[in-house]
Amino acid sequence: MGRVKYSSNWTALCALALVACCSAGLTSLGVRDDLHFSIEARGTNLDGSLPIYKDATADIEDRINDLLPRMTVQEKVAQLIQGDIDGWMNMTNPLDNTLTYNETGLVEMMEYKSGAIWAGYLAPWDKIVYAITVGQQYLMENTTLGIPAIIQSEGLHGFTDNGTTWPSPIGLAASFNAPLLAEAASTIATEAEGLGYSQLFAPVLDLSRELRWGRVEENYGEDPFLTSQMGHAYVTGLQTGRRRNVSDTAIARMAATCKHFAAYGSPQGGLNIAPVAGGQRDLHTYYLKPFNYACVDALSIMTAYASYDGIPNVANTHLLTDILRGEWGYQYFVTSDAGSVDLLITLHQICATRECAAKIALEHGLSGEMGGGTYTYLTLPGQIANGTVDISYVDETVKTVLRTKFALGLFENPYPYPDYAETMRTQATRDLLHQMEREAIILLENNNNILPLSTDIGSIALIGPQTDRVTFGDYVFFNASNNGISPLDGFTEFLANTSVKINFAEGCKLWSNDESEFPAAIAAAKESDVAIVMVGTWSLDQTLLWTPGTNATTGEHVDLSDISLVGAQYPLVQAIQATGVPTIVVFVSGKPVTNPWIQENVDAVVQQFYPGELGGLAIAEIIFGAENPSGRLPVSFPRSVATTPVFYNYLKGARPIDPGYITPNGTMVFGHQYVLDTPVPTWSFGRGLSYTTFNYTDLQLSSPTISTTEDFNVTVTVHNTGARDGKEVVQVYMTDIVSSVVTPNMELIGFTKVDIPAGTSQTVTIPVLSSQLAVWTMSGKWVVEPGQFAINVGTSEETYLNTTLTVV
């Protein structure tokens, strides 16, 4: 499903490679003996000509095939193992700027672990540049073959080494603006590229039927189509372009790493290493479809810790070879996650030795090994020598690493740029970030149009533990919050030239049940015309998150059994509402919050998924109407964890509704699903209000009847019938009315964000591929079945217009 680029048969490739190796004259080191003068001169040709692999204009496949036979077994294996700049640099102090290196450590690191080098540390930029330059110069100038390394870091929502911090992925998804996300990703790549990085672990596609409540911040939400579009935008933005001074054969400037492949989503386990159960239809329909669209062009993919249907994903032949390599034709670098090969021994327990783990991961996944474990791949040279591991598997995997390096142009220019400082944290990037911050904020409730507030108002109370705090998502490094603007500072800045008085009271801590600060918060509310209560969840930077004794409610290795507000936050909201002062609640969180009383009782609710550096200013601009909110929910809000899952695209028949409830006076009205509650979410996927109103007319299909291979367009006219300019997210949903297998109640198949001035209209056309109508049939293949499809325009909880498409 999606955009398959190649039709190569991976098994056949492995067989051909084995025949080629066996037929060539090999030395005891596994090197062809007819290409060069001696083992020390493998970077030259016998006839004096330039080796093909050094020819920047040569075809990449020719360069790979020329270089591979020149490599020793040890050099090949080193290409499959991740090294670390801490092998030659002291990276323990993020503020230290000592520009010296350990030569012994450098030589040893590059001999055994030089395929990719982890450089994801917070350090002064010139120290990072120095470290990368030293490493690449050694590889290029002091090794026989001169094979550069891929330099890696994190880029989940911004380049982590003091680059610009963007909203977390779920916040980026809330913008429903894929072109804007692609621009954002481009700036992230630019900041990393200048310092010498060439691979970012960035686009996260950890899609799950039951979202892991601790780490919802790290994905694009509950919808496969939204995930595919936003993931593809991120990959495209990161990779588009070329590094400086490289040839036209280079196709990207950064290797975007899609993770985690695939079906990486269980509500159990802090690192999400718990087994995931499911069949082939669930695998293809829900997990693989967005991965294919978003990641088939990515230059790297990371495997998942978990197992699927009893097979560890790091050694899953069906996933990594049959599907990824064979069906999709994926030819680039696949890496394990940190320490995951060792989990074949310690967690999955399908191996007893490091040798077994290395063999199984290599032969069943054709992937490299990241650090964080015992480096099981160091056993491969010995296993090859004794015949336990066939060299053909190593060769085919090394080819994927070399292919990625050639595609990045690293053999021509692997170095940092002299003017790197000019590309870091620029004003243009900040302006783009500002736009994203505004577009990611979601207005969920606005009773009696209390919002936007007027700057003529006398005073506001800013209350809550998220008010005077910069809260970023997971995967930010030490001191990153110093670059951010807190909401308190943002409101202060925005209101600086007005007479509006700010009455601030924290009210409570995020992590405490202590209500002793309530009186001050109540007093602040009573002294004000309106109260803004900012509550939610929190994460920590990557140092504190793993430090014993610290706390967080979202982030890696942080899971929850309850997603209600923690500690005294919920009672604080109730106490402020009880004052009678108009109350606006702002959730600053990395996941949904389950306190339906808030939706039912306060005057307005605003959702700000973990923002970036300008989030504190953006929320003030939204509250006071300097910007019209246009964000939409990328995930539904359950009423409680007991009523999960609540994803909108549930399978037909999976959510009968006969709810019960408790009235405000305590009367119990009993139902069945559930006895005193409902499976219907508090707010559903796609919801988001505006300060203006929109009306939809003239829904048309490019053709009401199409063939099974025919694409079509959905066209609708959107009218801004209010008094304010505004952005509307046009959403198109589909229901397969009768199908051979059970299909979702409805599915998002298209969306776009349009800017419509007040009193005007815009005709919007959204293309839909025929393949989006396909189902994974009982015969195990994608089929577009003839029949009728309901086409709806609206949100998942409300239909504005609908029509019917017939497929013949």
Side-chain angles (χ1 to χ4, degrees):
M1 192 70 178
R3 302 168 302 118
V4 177
K5 292 181 61 180
Y6 308 104
S7 59
S8 59
N9 185 299
W10 196 259
T11 304
L13 282 175
C14 290
L16 288 173
L18 180 58
V19 171
C21 287
C22 292
S23 61
L26 301 180
T27 69
S28 60
L29 296 174
V31 182
R32 285 269 299 278
D33 59 4
D34 59 340
L35 298 173
H36 46 74
F37 294 102
S38 67
I39 195 70
E40 292 81 14
R42 288 167 291 138
T44 61
N45 287 342
L46 284 171
D47 62 3
S49 62
L50 181 73
I52 296 173
Y53 85 90
K54 292 185 177 182
D55 182 357
T57 64
D59 179 78
I60 286 178
E61 295 307 305
D62 291 339
R63 297 176 77 182
I64 294 169
N65 292 330
D66 180 62
L67 175 56
L68 188 70
R70 300 172 187 264
M71 299 173 69
T72 67
V73 170
Q74 179 59 57
E75 288 168 338
K76 291 175 181 178
V77 171
Q79 289 296 306
L80 304 184
I81 304 178
Q82 179 195 54
D84 197 306
I85 61 170
D86 72 354
W88 66 91
M89 300 291 296
N90 184 347
M91 304 305 297
T92 56
N93 183 352
L95 303 180
D96 175 68
N97 198 27
T98 303
L99 303 184
T100 60
Y101 72 95
N102 180 330
E103 183 177 357
T104 301
L106 175 66
V107 173
E108 182 178 0
M109 181 67 66
M110 297 312 191
E111 181 178 0
Y112 295 103
K113 306 166 189 172
S114 56
I117 302 293
W118 177 250
Y121 293 92
L122 178 64
W125 291 335
D126 52 350
K127 182 175 182 178
I128 290 292
V129 166
Y130 175 82
I132 294 173
T133 301
V134 165
Q136 296 287 35
Q137 279 184 337
Y138 176 82
L139 290 171
M140 296 290 285
E141 300 173 14
N142 293 86
T143 64
T144 303
L145 295 175
I147 303 174
I150 296 171
I151 306 296
Q152 304 169 317
S153 188
E154 296 287 355
L156 188 67
H157 47 112
F159 171 55
T160 48
D161 187 7
N162 201 27
T164 304
T165 300
W166 292 76
S168 60
I170 195 171
L172 297 170
S175 73
F176 273 67
N177 192 334
L180 179 60
L181 179 55
E183 290 185 69
S186 179
T187 70
I188 294 169
T190 296
E191 291 185 336
E193 179 189 351
L195 294 180
Y197 293 87
S198 47
Q199 182 180 15
L200 288 176
F201 300 158
V204 178
L205 292 150
D206 294 349
L207 192 65
S208 171
R209 277 296 191 181
E210 291 192 57
L211 290 163
R212 308 168 278 151
W213 297 124
R215 297 183 66 190
V216 175
E217 60 168 292
E218 294 181 26
N219 60 46
Y220 293 126
E222 70 187 62
D223 183 76
F225 185 77
L226 177 65
T227 294
S228 71
Q229 301 301 302
M230 302 308 271
H232 177 65
Y234 214 135
V235 169
T236 301
L238 285 178
Q239 295 191 163
T240 297
R242 294 187 180 93
R243 292 185 59 81
R244 298 179 189 174
N245 302 318
V246 300
S247 74
D248 291 344
T249 60
I251 63 171
R253 60 179 176 143
M254 188 70 57
T257 303
C258 279
K259 57 181 185 178
H260 299 87
F261 191 74
Y264 187 59
S266 165
Q268 311 171 59
L271 280 174
N272 217 54
I273 54 181
V276 179
Q280 288 299 305
R281 183 171 299 107
D282 199 39
L283 177 67
H284 284 82
T285 301
Y286 202 76
Y287 298 108
L288 293 183
K289 183 159 49 172
F291 245 107
N292 178 272
Y293 184 81
C295 301
V296 78
D297 287 331
L299 294 191
S300 59
I301 286 176
M302 183 184 291
T303 62
Y305 283 119
S307 63
Y308 186 81
D309 201 22
I311 308 298
N313 287 27
V314 71
N316 190 321
T317 303
H318 181 56
L319 270 178
L320 300 177
T321 303
D322 298 342
I323 294 174
L324 181 63
R325 301 295 194 184
E327 293 180 18
W328 296 4
Y330 189 75
Q331 296 190 336
Y332 296 106
F333 180 37
V334 175
T335 179
S336 69
D337 205 340
S340 64
V341 179
D342 286 82
L343 296 183
L344 297 174
I345 306 169
T346 60
L347 179 76
H348 303 298
Q349 297 184 342
I350 67 170
C351 278
T353 65
R354 293 171 65 238
E355 289 79 5
C356 170
K359 174 182 172 64
I360 288 179
L362 176 70
E363 295 182 354
H364 292 259
L366 293 172
S367 60
E369 182 176 35
M370 187 184 282
T374 64
Y375 295 101
T376 69
Y377 275 27
L378 292 175
T379 68
L380 289 176
Q383 294 197 76
I384 291 167
N386 65 27
T388 306
V389 171
D390 196 308
I391 188 65
S392 66
Y393 292 103
V394 173
D395 284 348
E396 289 306 314
T397 310
V398 171
K399 284 182 179 181
T400 69
V401 179
L402 297 178
R403 187 174 291 116
T404 300
K405 292 181 178 183
F406 284 125
L408 289 167
L410 294 181
F411 280 79
E412 287 71 65
N413 182 19
Y415 299 112
Y417 300 152
D419 61 345
Y420 67 84
E422 297 177 14
T423 66
M424 302 297 295
R425 306 185 62 81
T426 66
Q427 185 59 49
T429 296
R430 195 169 180 83
D431 292 343
L432 196 67
L433 169 65
H434 199 176
Q435 181 183 352
M436 177 63 81
E437 301 276 23
R438 293 162 164 171
E439 293 200 22
I441 295 173
I442 309 161
L443 179 61
L444 294 174
E445 299 289 341
N446 192 20
N447 297 327
N448 299 315
N449 292 319
I450 188 173
L451 293 178
L453 300 181
S454 170
T455 52
D456 293 332
I457 197 171
S459 61
I460 62 170
L462 289 180
I463 296 169
Q466 288 286 19
T467 303
D468 191 21
R469 174 187 173 88
V470 174
T471 300
F472 291 152
D474 201 2
Y475 280 88
V476 295
F477 288 178
F478 177 72
N479 276 349
S481 61
N482 290 345
N483 293 323
I485 297 174
S486 72
L488 180 59
D489 289 340
F491 276 95
T492 301
E493 177 182 334
F494 181 79
L495 297 172
N497 296 319
T498 73
S499 60
V500 179
K501 180 184 178 183
I502 297 175
N503 298 312
F504 166 65
E506 187 177 39
C508 70
K509 305 297 183 185
L510 280 168
W511 47 82
S512 173
N513 287 313
D514 184 7
E515 299 183 5
S516 62
E517 296 181 58
F518 278 23
I522 292 170
K526 289 181 176 180
E527 294 171 5
S528 307
D529 296 306
V530 64
I532 302 167
V533 187
M534 304 193 71
V535 292
T537 64
W538 72 100
S539 190
L540 298 172
D541 68 47
Q542 287 304 103
T543 299
L544 292 175
L545 192 64
W546 294 87
T547 301
T550 56
N551 60 70
T553 51
T554 61
E556 187 168 4
H557 87 300
V558 177
D559 278 341
L560 301 95
S561 61
D562 186 351
I563 52 174
S564 300
L565 290 170
V566 170
Q569 293 184 86
Y570 181 38
L572 176 65
V573 174
Q574 292 178 308
I576 300 304
Q577 190 271 348
T579 65
V581 176
T583 301
I584 299 160
V585 170
V586 177
F587 292 128
V588 181
S589 68
K591 58 183 174 58
V593 172
T594 55
N595 292 96
W597 181 93
I598 293 175
Q599 182 262 343
E600 296 163 359
N601 289 278
V602 304
D603 296 280
V605 180
V606 178
Q607 173 65 48
Q608 185 180 39
F609 290 113
Y610 290 152
E613 296 176 11
L614 297 178
L617 177 60
I619 191 63
E621 293 171 326
I622 291 291
I623 293 292
F624 277 91
E627 181 75 11
N628 199 341
S630 64
R632 299 293 184 267
L633 281 183
V635 58
S636 300
F637 276 52
R639 294 180 62 86
S640 75
V641 292
T643 61
T644 58
V646 294
F647 45 85
Y648 83 93
N649 50 349
Y650 58 89
L651 295 178
K652 294 170 184 173
R655 195 170 75 183
I657 300 175
D658 179 16
Y661 57 95
I662 301 176
T663 65
N665 65 9
T667 300
M668 293 184 288
V669 179
F670 292 94
H672 295 90
Q673 292 90 18
Y674 292 77
V675 169
L676 291 173
D677 211 335
T678 175
V680 176
T682 304
W683 297 290
S684 191
F685 176 90
R687 179 178 175 85
L689 306 179
S690 172
Y691 295 151
T692 191
T693 54
F694 296 98
N695 183 41
Y696 286 66
T697 64
D698 304 319
L699 174 62
Q700 296 180 352
L701 304 179
S702 53
S703 175
T705 303
I706 63 171
S707 70
T708 57
T709 59
E710 189 176 353
D711 302 334
F712 65 99
N713 294 329
V714 178
T715 300
V716 66
T717 300
V718 184
H719 307 261
N720 184 340
T721 56
R724 290 175 176 264
D725 298 346
K727 296 183 177 72
E728 173 71 334
V729 177
V730 182
Q731 304 169 49
V732 179
Y733 293 83
M734 174 272 288
T735 300
D736 190 343
I737 296 175
V738 177
S739 53
S740 62
V741 297
V742 178
T743 55
N745 173 67
M746 64 189 318
E747 298 177 70
L748 183 71
I749 57 171
F751 66 90
T752 189
K753 179 175 277 191
V754 290
D755 194 349
I756 306 178
T760 68
S761 63
Q762 184 170 332
T763 299
V764 179
T765 297
I766 296 177
V768 181
L769 302 176
S770 61
S771 58
Q772 292 176 248
L773 308 179
V775 296
W776 186 259
T777 63
M778 289 182 286
S779 60
K781 57 184 178 181
W782 288 107
V783 175
V784 178
E785 299 177 334
Q788 290 191 316
F789 296 79
I791 305 297
N792 299 326
V793 176
T795 72
S796 68
E797 61 185 346
E798 183 177 4
T799 297
Y800 306 146
L801 296 173
N802 62 82
T803 188
T804 300
L805 172 72
T806 301
V807 177
V808 295

